[in-house]
Amino acid sequence: MASDTLCVSSPKAKELRGEARMHNQISRVECQSGLSCSNESHGKSMSDRTNGASCFNQSIREKKVPGAKNDGLRNDKCAHTDIESEKGEDVCTPNLERTMDGDGDTCLHDDDGRCTACVAARSQQSTRLRSGSTLQDLYMQEFYDEDDDSDWEPVNRFVMKKWFCTNCTMPNFDDVSQCDVCGEHKESEVFKHDVFKTHNELGTESFCDLGSGYRNRESSSNTSTAIGFDERMLLHSEVEMKSHPHPERPDRLRAIASCLADAGIFPGRCSLIPAREITEEELRMVHSADHIEAVQQTSCMISSYFTSDTYANKHSAHAARLAAGFCADLAYSIMSGRSKNGFALVRPPGHHAGIKQAMGFCLHNNAAVAALAAQRAGAKKVLIVDWDVHHGNGTQEIFEGSKSVLYISLHRHEGGRFYPGTGAADEVGTKDAKGYSVNIPWSCGGVGDNDYIFAFQHIVLPIAFEFAPDITIISAGFDAARGDPLGCCDVTPTGFAQMTDMLTSLSQGKLLVVLEGGYNLRSISSSATAVVKVLLGEKPSFEMSNVTPTKEGLQTILLVSRIQLEFWPILQETYSALRAQWDSVSSLNSRRQVKKRKRLVGPFWWKWGSKRFIYEKLYSGFHSRRMLGRLL
């Protein structure tokens, strides 16, 4: 369990402790569903949305090369040398930093490990640490006056620690035992079943060898569900130790594999296909040569970054090629009839990776690779449904001018304020392919099952049936799931299962699910398991008789149907029904607003209340005497 210690003085311990909570670099987000979600520095940032490539320098430990000047490992940040593209184009290339001495030559440490540049750098770093530029520095800063010590008093300190949740990575203070975001207990273990340890103890084949010979084995039945998974994708991880664990971590795959094993699904009821690295020729159909080269160069580096949140280590390029290879082979297996459907349990994710750039934790676009592989296998039309909470800007960029690939995305948008800022309802494609990009942008967080299912009923399925795809690919990000620290939405495993079941009615059940995002381990494992169960033939228990969207959800769906009506006339009946429903909701809200406005002026008796008061004062005595006379 990672921890971080914060020391503060004791005279105002209680007050400072409250300030530490308020000034910590955690931003609270209250969702409509009542969920409390937190985003920190590793959350996807709007600064990562660029047209060109944006790279961040990272200190690299250089390998010792025989005959070279560098001796040993270098890890000092003094100067850097950029790797530039030979063609002069914008290319997202990780940059190397080498330690230089004062004269500009390569730094050579002596026997004591010292050099002029390093000593100067450490001195500057020490000065910055004493300047009190961070919260921790402000609390720990001590002021000493050698001339006046009249105000000196003993300083007692207490230690305030914070721990990071193993389930969602969000930080919590040490005085709480459960995570404020997902409710996970501080000492709990997410993995009930270590599937890798079990196989090693039994002395059986590793996961990457279980499917050996599958490619050459003709299946006697096309009812099997194929799984793409390899342990080597777990080697892709962030090397640099930071104050907050990265949400896109190897534990994501471990949690899903463990949950599938506990359910008796994997390995067992599913077929595991063998691993294969995607070829450069296949990648060139999706990405530019510069982008492919930039990703491949990371295999020579211990640590590098494409954007502030998109990391790579020496294993990342290999993991990305394995992930893309699985997606291509699964698409081919489904189109050839060897498998009925498939689930690509892969990482790093891919739907943010565009033609020339890596961003949003993504290196290669796995769904795009799968779509083109399906077309090479005979599919004339491919449908990609992206329900990741973030818009798949990379996938849309790759296919926005193609009429053979229909891209439909449901995501949080909030007027462009939610990462990556793209995916507005009026982004419909380019040139002759207008209408082949369908974006359903939610205007707020907290979106749940009913809004997603309602959107499927009135937009996704009508357009999809009209398009009539030969294969359907789901970019299945589970960060819209309940309890996710980045998505802050409220979709349940049953909701994901129902959406999957609705898509099985397309393309004769030829369906490929590709894992994208999702950063709450329990949410993604339970959601992925529910989806795989649908692929195996189980029916979800979602109640479809009373699916009522929220007002915000209905407004978004009505907007999208009005825009897409120009390209898909089949939506005319849906649009008319939604318009009537919206008018009734709007009129009801208008009446409520009018009533509220009147009540703001005052109650209905306010205008004559003063007159009644005068009347009663003047005539109440006379009226009483008159009534008394009658009685007598």
Side-chain angles (χ1 to χ4, degrees), residues 53-62 79-85 91-98 294 297-298 301-306:
S54 176
C55 300
F56 289 75
N57 296 336
Q58 175 69 19
S59 179
I60 305 299
R61 298 177 181 268
E62 299 177 2
H80 65 86
T81 302
D82 293 336
I83 299 178
E84 300 178 351
S85 173
V91 52
C92 188
T93 305
N95 296 327
L96 297 175
E97 286 193 0
R98 292 195 176 97
Q297 284 179 355
T298 63
M301 307 176 188
I302 291 180
S303 178
S304 56
Y305 285 83
F306 289 93

Side-chain angles (χ1 to χ4, degrees), residues 261-493:
D262 286 337
I265 295 175
F266 173 63
R269 298 173 62 186
C270 301
S271 302
L272 186 69
I273 68 171
R276 176 183 72 90
E277 284 192 59
I278 197 75
T279 64
E280 185 173 346
E281 290 74 20
E282 291 173 292
L283 282 178
R284 282 180 179 269
M285 300 179 67
V286 176
H287 300 292
S288 66
D290 291 334
H291 171 75
I292 298 171
E293 182 182 358
V295 175
Q296 187 59 33
Q297 284 179 355
T298 63
S299 61
C300 302
M301 307 176 188
I302 291 180
S303 178
S304 56
Y305 285 83
F306 289 93
T307 65
S308 60
D309 62 359
T310 306
Y311 64 82
N313 63 11
K314 62 181 180 181
H315 304 288
S316 299
H318 184 49
R321 285 178 178 267
L322 285 174
F326 273 126
C327 293
D329 287 354
L330 283 169
Y332 178 81
S333 179
I334 295 171
M335 284 303 303
S336 64
R338 294 182 179 181
S339 302
K340 180 180 179 180
N341 48 47
F343 185 88
L345 185 55
V346 296
R347 60 181 295 271
H351 72 148
H352 290 307
I355 298 176
K356 296 182 178 180
Q357 80 279 356
M359 60 180 290
F361 313 163
C362 303
L363 301 185
H364 294 319
N365 197 304
N366 302 319
V369 169
L372 295 181
Q375 290 184 334
R376 292 195 302 272
K380 295 182 179 179
K381 292 185 288 185
V382 179
L383 168 65
I384 300 178
V385 177
D386 189 340
W387 67 45
D388 189 285
V389 78
H390 303 96
H391 178 244
N393 57 300
T395 308
Q396 177 174 292
E397 176 193 6
I398 293 169
F399 295 115
E400 64 182 352
S402 173
K403 298 178 64 175
S404 63
V405 178
L406 171 63
Y407 178 68
I408 303 178
S409 177
L410 304 93
H411 52 272
R412 280 184 65 179
H413 186 254
E414 302 179 16
R417 296 185 300 273
F418 195 77
Y419 185 91
T422 56
D426 57 359
E427 296 179 21
V428 297
T430 60
K431 300 179 181 179
D432 295 336
K434 289 185 177 180
Y436 288 86
S437 292
V438 180
N439 288 297
I440 305 175
W442 305 122
S443 60
C444 59
V447 185
D449 292 346
N450 284 349
D451 284 331
Y452 274 84
I453 300 301
F454 195 82
F456 264 64
Q457 290 174 330
H458 293 85
I459 295 180
V460 177
L461 290 184
I463 294 178
F465 275 113
E466 184 74 8
F467 179 68
D470 298 309
I471 186 174
T472 301
I473 299 173
I474 303 177
S475 277
F478 296 111
D479 42 7
R482 177 178 297 174
D484 189 272
L486 299 187
C488 298
C489 286
D490 198 33
V491 183
T492 66

